Every structure is written in C-alpha cells, then in structure tokens.
Amino acid sequence: LKNELEALLELQGLIVHNRKLELEAKTITSGGAIDELRDQMLALSGALNQKRTGHEELMREQKRSETELEMVAKRTKLDQERLSKTAVPRDAISIQHELETLANRRSTLEEVALSVMERIEASNREQHELNLQRDKLEQELEEAKEIAKVELASLKKVHSANADRISTLKAVVSQ
C-alpha cells in the first residue's frame, strides 16, 4: 500500500510536471520574442520600401535635371552661334538677353542638381543603415528561432521521459 501511494504521488507529480512542460512549450512556440522581432522586421521592411521609393523618385528628379541642363547647354550653344552670325543690333540685344536668361536658368538647374545629388547621397546612407538594421534583426530572429528549437527539444526529451515513467507507474498502480 505504501509503495502504491508513493507511486500515485510520483504519478501525480509527473503529470503536473508534464502539463507545466506543455505550457512552457506552448509559450515558446507562441514566441513573444520571435513575434516581436518579426514585427520589427515588418516595420523595417516598410521603412526600407519607403526609402527605396523615395530614392527612385530622386533618381528620376536627377535625370530630369540632367536633361534640362543638357537642353539649356544646347540652347546656349545655338544662341551663341546665332549671336556671332547676326549683324542686326536689335537681334543681338535680344539674343544677349536670352543668353543671360539661359545662364540664370543653368545656375538654378545646377543648384537643383547639386541638391538632388546631396539628397541621393543621404538616401543611400539611410538605406545602408536600414539594411544593416535589417541584417541584424534577421540574425537575431534566426538566433531566437534556434534557441526556441533547442529549448523545445530539451522540453520534449524531458516530457518523453516523464511520459514513459507515467506509463510505468500507471501499470504499477493499476495492479
């Protein structure tokens, strides 16, 4: 009778321990830390997409700026050729005025192009930083998954040993 009571107490203790192990395993698989890292990855991916979209817009703006500068340079060259060929003072004044306007436009476009290049450089730095953060988060996520995997394997091993002992004790108690 004493052995049977000890077996019942051990059986009850093992059943309770296995339930705790199952709860712990459930907590690990629900992965609070893993879910948090995934949420951070999702937010970071959104930020990266926004930066890429902004960067693409900057690249289009740079292309437009370069195209406009080329057009102003061509127009300036044509007007200088016209100025050198004209003999009419009125036309020369008009062409000279247009050349001044083109020079002002070129100066403005060069400032815009410089500003765009600076913003592109800043965008590249920001994207690089976000990529580094993403890589770090990916590594942390993989490490968290690996830790969870190891913890689950350990819990499973203990749970399995307990289940074997429970089966043995049930056989002893039911006799």
Side-chain angles (χ1 to χ4, degrees), residues 7 10-12 14-15 18 159-175:
E10 186 181 352
L11 178 62
Q12 183 181 8
L14 288 172
I15 290 171
N18 266 6
H159 188 275
S160 179
N162 286 350
D164 291 344
R165 181 69 180 143
I166 288 170
S167 294
T168 304
L169 288 174
K170 281 184 178 181
V172 168
V173 171
S174 64
Q175 289 178 355

Side-chain angles (χ1 to χ4, degrees), residues 38-52:
R38 284 184 178 141
D39 290 344
Q40 290 176 12
M41 285 286 294
L42 186 61
L44 192 56
S45 291
L48 260 170
N49 283 336
Q50 281 183 320
K51 287 293 176 193
R52 285 185 188 125

Side-chain angles (χ1 to χ4, degrees), residues 63-124:
K63 184 70 175 164
R64 280 191 302 269
S65 179
E66 289 171 354
T67 301
E68 287 183 44
L69 274 169
E70 287 173 11
M71 288 172 40
V72 167
K74 287 178 185 176
R75 183 62 195 237
T76 300
K77 183 178 177 184
L78 289 173
D79 284 352
Q80 286 173 341
E81 289 173 4
R82 282 181 45 217
L83 182 62
S84 66
K85 293 178 183 176
T86 189
V88 181
R90 188 171 158 200
D91 288 346
I93 292 172
S94 174
I95 294 171
Q96 186 63 39
H97 177 70
E98 189 171 335
L99 284 170
E100 290 170 7
T101 302
L102 287 171
N104 290 336
R105 178 70 179 142
R106 180 177 181 167
S107 175
T108 301
L109 287 172
E110 286 172 345
E111 288 175 19
V112 168
L114 183 59
S115 170
V116 170
M117 282 188 253
E118 289 170 352
R119 291 183 1 230
I120 287 172
E121 287 177 20
S123 175
N124 283 334

Side-chain angles (χ1 to χ4, degrees), residues 18 20-26 28 150-161:
N18 266 6
K20 286 181 182 177
L21 292 174
E22 290 165 4
L23 183 60
E24 194 175 336
K26 198 175 207 180
I28 290 171
V150 168
E151 288 176 353
L152 284 172
S154 175
L155 291 177
K156 187 175 182 180
K157 184 178 178 182
V158 172
H159 188 275
S160 179

